[in-house]
Amino acid sequence: MENEKWLLGIDIGGTSVKLAFLTEEGDIVHKWEIPTNIANNGSSIIPDIGKAVHNKLAELNVPHEKLKAAGVGAPGPIDQELGVMFEAVNLGWPDNFPLRDLMQEAVGVPVAIENDANAAALGEMWKGAGKGAKDLIAITLGTGVGGGVIVNGDIVHGAKGAAGEIGHITAVPKGGYMCNCGKQGCLETVASATGIVRTAKEFLAEYEGDSPLKELLQKNGDITAKDIFDAAQTGDELALRTVDSLADHLGLALANIGSTFNPAKIVIGGGVSKAGDFLLGKIEEFFKKYAFKPVGDSTEIVLAQLGNDAGIAGAAWLAANKN
Amino acid sequence: MENEKWLLGIDIGGTSVKLAFLTEEGDIVHKWEIPTNIANNGSSIIPDIGKAVHNKLAELNVPHEKLKAAGVGAPGPIDQELGVMFEAVNLGWPDNFPLRDLMQEAVGVPVAIENDANAAALGEMWKGAGKGAKDLIAITLGTGVGGGVIVNGDIVHGAKGAAGEIGHITAVPKGGYMCNCGKQGCLETVASATGIVRTAKEFLAEYEGDSPLKELLQKNGDITAKDIFDAAQTGDELALRTVDSLADHLGLALANIGSTFNPAKIVIGGGVSKAGDFLLGKIEEFFKKYAFKPVGDSTEIVLAQLGNDAGIAGAAWLAANKN
């Protein structure tokens, strides 16, 4: 429809900013990226975004009035009501950065802000694998492990914005590895891409049998999470043991979250989730083993569907619902 | 004030029904109990409650119009919107029992219903240890371990009403005891009154030193959770080890819930919590060890304050907010 307004979705990352114009139903109309310039304490990031939006509108010959509102996902803890980002170490911004007001000035429409992992969770709820669910957990298995918790259709922030820190659930109570957060045995140390590679190497060091994964490590000097899943799917025992260890830790953590608030869906995304249905099946196996039965029967585990677009979809949801 | 209306709070248990008239601010004006008659599939429970309410009003010479609304806490899974109780094994009611409508007819005012553990959580939020908190977990350490999860000032029910089943978090992933729920290693098997007695007996069987607790067991043929806490507070090494084991499991489970949604408060109630500040200090120690640091710094663990009145206070909250 000619008269329909657009939402502006902005997903700020450490290397690039993803931008999109979306319909009010959350469908992407135009999508593009600009580099994130973190020089000078990230002082040009917001002006760059403002320019990019205005230039894109001009290029499309669309008036600024077409824009209704904007949403922003950014990497770090935020206070949605104050419109402030407490810390943004990856972007160089000073503490307590007034992100909402500065962005509002730059793009000329009302802005709502959210942590990037939470924005991705909202995106999956609105337009992806979580569609239709009002209670949902999203977990992102990448270099680290991130999460977002949605209850009754909205993000849970908690007392100090530390809700959704699923990666810092203690998965190994005794003798776990140190995590970057300063604590030992975090889920992130065993369920991230980094974690699973470390687990495989540990198993390999003691493994006496033959293994394609072992050969790969000897040949390339290193292995990746993808190598492990590929080998596991061809039946490599050592790789299978590694995947089982990951799925066991993850299944337990998710089952315990499940018994606490029985979400309709748990959405698994991030690079590691590219292992797809093979990984999903393993996680489900351990999830059902550890979950309170009514939870195992009613909480569904699914793969994320939006990939890198989850953040801009969630930012657009914020634009539509938080302004 | 003469013109102020009253709320009716009803807490149905397997042996007695607790009833109270409360002000709209949740202060108890009159409180009394009647026995729960579970004969004939519990068919007289609701008529008995209706009679008790009408008789009490007559006795107090207060007109029925004084009552504004009622709330009911009952032991089992409920659907608040449908007004139905799915199962009520302790009361004898058939499945899918239309509790709300029948109670409404019996007491003559609008009724809202809730699971009893959730009602107790709401009571502590409104008038007890959780006052002022909008995000809160309540955990009850009794014969079993129950829980209630409150986000944004209201109970989380989850996909199938199985939220808050904190007692069925898997605390011992490998080699745990069987739980009544059919799963192994539930928190309930190690953190309930029953669980802690079993842990103490296990430790005692292998303990070669002297211990007041050991003497008590030999003298009485059995020990209670209270015996264990009493002995621990006098420095009995074996009792201390038992309490540490309980606090370790509980601290880990609560820390992991904390990292997931960073409640402002975690309220600990039930018979075991009578061990008071001694127990609280131990739980806090392990909670801080296992929690993501911002959570350890911002989520407060406190003792429940309302005891047996939590259920009626929560029922009154339901009366005030869900009708």
Side-chain angles (χ1 to χ4, degrees):
Chain A
M1 289 193 291
E2 281 301 307
N3 293 327
E4 208 193 43
K5 293 263 190 177
W6 281 351
L7 304 170
L8 169 59
I10 305 170
D11 181 11
I12 307 179
T15 51
S16 71
V17 180
K18 294 183 186 65
L19 295 134
F21 297 134
L22 304 94
T23 66
E24 293 191 58
E25 288 72 44
D27 298 316
I28 292 174
V29 184
H30 293 279
K31 186 175 80 168
W32 76 107
E33 288 188 28
I34 61 169
T36 306
N37 182 356
I38 58 169
N40 301 316
N41 295 325
S43 59
S44 77
I45 296 175
I46 290 181
D48 286 353
I49 292 171
K51 258 179 260 164
V53 170
H54 292 290
N55 291 345
K56 183 60 74 175
L57 286 171
E59 184 191 321
L60 297 169
N61 205 13
V62 164
H64 185 268
E65 293 72 47
K66 182 84 174 168
L67 293 188
K68 186 179 183 183
V72 181
I78 62 108
D79 186 310
Q80 197 170 58
E81 281 173 33
L82 295 177
V84 160
M85 196 156 173
F86 294 126
E87 282 175 51
V89 279
N90 296 328
L91 305 177
W93 292 338
D95 289 354
N96 301 313
F97 187 73
L99 172 58
R100 183 187 58 201
D101 291 353
L102 292 176
M103 189 65 84
Q104 217 152 270
E105 215 172 296
V107 299
V109 287
V111 167
I113 66 171
E114 185 52 275
N115 163 269
D116 56 354
N118 288 344
L122 289 167
E124 289 289 346
M125 172 185 78
W126 195 28
K127 303 301 291 183
K131 232 185 222 177
K134 290 177 72 183
D135 295 334
L136 176 154
I137 304 283
I139 179 163
T140 307
L141 310 174
T143 315
V145 171
V149 174
I150 294 176
V151 168
N152 207 13
D154 202 357
I155 289 290
V156 178
H157 291 105
K160 284 284 174 205
E165 292 288 355
I166 297 173
H168 300 292
I169 279 180
T170 298
V172 185
K174 284 175 185 64
Y177 287 102
M178 280 305 295
C179 180
N180 292 331
C181 80
K183 189 163 69 69
Q184 276 181 292
C186 291
L187 185 60
E188 184 162 298
T189 67
V190 288
S192 63
T194 329
I196 187 175
V197 167
R198 180 165 51 197
T199 305
K201 286 179 179 170
E202 258 184 40
F203 287 168
L204 274 165
E206 294 178 358
Y207 191 68
E208 305 207 334
D210 287 329
S211 155
L213 201 57
K214 202 170 178 176
E215 288 163 29
L216 213 60
L217 178 62
Q218 277 157 358
K219 202 178 98 193
N220 299 343
D222 208 349
I223 47 170
T224 65
K226 185 174 184 306
D227 292 336
I228 297 164
F229 285 108
D230 288 348
Q233 289 187 72
T234 63
D236 180 349
E237 193 204 310
L238 190 126
L240 277 168
R241 208 193 294 169
T242 307
V243 173
D244 274 353
S245 167
L246 165 88
D248 193 335
H249 285 302
L250 208 51
L252 176 63
L254 296 178
N256 287 348
I257 294 175
S259 300
T260 306
F261 61 122
N262 187 203
K265 292 189 179 179
I266 296 176
V267 179
I268 301 189
V272 173
S273 76
K274 288 185 185 150
D277 289 332
F278 173 69
L279 174 64
L280 197 63
K282 293 279 184 189
I283 295 172
E284 274 170 349
E285 182 189 328
F286 288 98
F287 178 77
K288 283 193 183 279
K289 175 180 170 189
Y290 294 126
F292 182 52
K293 193 169 181 303
V295 170
D297 292 344
S298 61
T299 292
E300 200 187 347
I301 305 185
V302 295
L303 293 169
Q305 289 175 353
L306 302 184
N308 289 332
D309 288 348
I312 42 178
W317 184 92
L318 293 165
N321 292 281
K322 291 286 171 180
N323 281 302
Chain B
M1 287 193 291
E2 280 302 307
N3 293 326
E4 206 191 46
K5 293 263 190 177
W6 281 351
L7 304 170
L8 168 59
I10 305 171
D11 182 9
I12 307 180
T15 51
S16 70
V17 180
K18 294 183 185 67
L19 294 133
F21 298 135
L22 305 94
T23 66
E24 294 191 58
E25 289 72 45
D27 298 317
I28 293 174
V29 183
H30 292 280
K31 186 174 79 166
W32 75 107
E33 287 187 29
I34 61 170
T36 307
N37 182 356
I38 59 169
N40 302 315
N41 295 325
S43 58
S44 77
I45 297 174
I46 291 182
D48 286 353
I49 291 172
K51 258 178 263 165
V53 169
H54 291 290
N55 290 346
K56 183 61 76 176
L57 286 171
E59 184 191 321
L60 296 170
N61 205 13
V62 165
H64 186 269
E65 293 71 49
K66 182 85 174 170
L67 293 189
K68 185 181 184 184
V72 181
I78 62 110
D79 186 309
Q80 197 170 58
E81 282 174 31
L82 295 177
V84 160
M85 196 155 172
F86 295 127
E87 282 174 52
V89 280
N90 296 329
L91 304 178
W93 292 339
D95 288 354
N96 301 313
F97 187 73
L99 172 58
R100 184 187 56 201
D101 292 352
L102 292 176
M103 190 65 85
Q104 217 151 272
E105 216 171 295
V107 300
V109 288
V111 166
I113 66 172
E114 185 53 274
N115 163 270
D116 57 353
N118 288 343
L122 288 168
E124 288 289 346
M125 172 185 78
W126 196 28
K127 302 301 290 183
K131 232 184 223 177
K134 291 178 72 183
D135 295 334
L136 174 154
I137 303 283
I139 181 164
T140 308
L141 309 175
T143 317
V145 171
V149 174
I150 294 175
V151 167
N152 206 13
D154 203 355
I155 288 290
V156 178
H157 291 105
K160 285 284 175 204
E165 292 288 354
I166 296 172
H168 300 292
I169 280 180
T170 299
V172 186
K174 283 173 187 65
Y177 287 103
M178 280 305 296
C179 180
N180 291 331
C181 80
K183 190 164 68 68
Q184 277 180 293
C186 290
L187 185 61
E188 184 162 299
T189 68
V190 289
S192 62
T194 329
I196 187 174
V197 167
R198 180 165 52 197
T199 305
K201 286 178 179 171
E202 259 185 39
F203 287 168
L204 274 165
E206 295 177 357
Y207 191 68
E208 306 205 333
D210 288 329
S211 154
L213 201 57
K214 203 171 177 176
E215 289 164 27
L216 214 57
L217 178 62
Q218 278 157 356
K219 202 178 97 194
N220 299 343
D222 208 349
I223 47 171
T224 65
K226 184 174 184 304
D227 293 334
I228 297 165
F229 285 108
D230 287 349
Q233 290 186 72
T234 63
D236 180 348
E237 193 204 311
L238 189 125
L240 277 168
R241 211 195 290 170
T242 306
V243 173
D244 273 353
S245 167
L246 165 89
D248 193 335
H249 285 300
L250 207 51
L252 176 62
L254 296 178
N256 287 348
I257 293 175
S259 300
T260 307
F261 59 123
N262 187 203
K265 291 190 180 178
I266 295 176
V267 179
I268 300 188
V272 174
S273 74
K274 288 185 183 148
D277 289 332
F278 173 68
L279 174 64
L280 195 66
K282 292 280 182 187
I283 296 172
E284 274 170 349
E285 180 189 328
F286 288 97
F287 178 78
K288 284 194 181 280
K289 174 179 170 189
Y290 293 126
F292 182 53
K293 194 167 181 304
V295 170
D297 292 344
S298 61
T299 292
E300 199 187 347
I301 305 185
V302 295
L303 293 169
Q305 289 175 353
L306 302 185
N308 289 332
D309 288 347
I312 42 178
W317 183 91
L318 292 165
N321 292 281
K322 291 286 170 178
N323 282 302

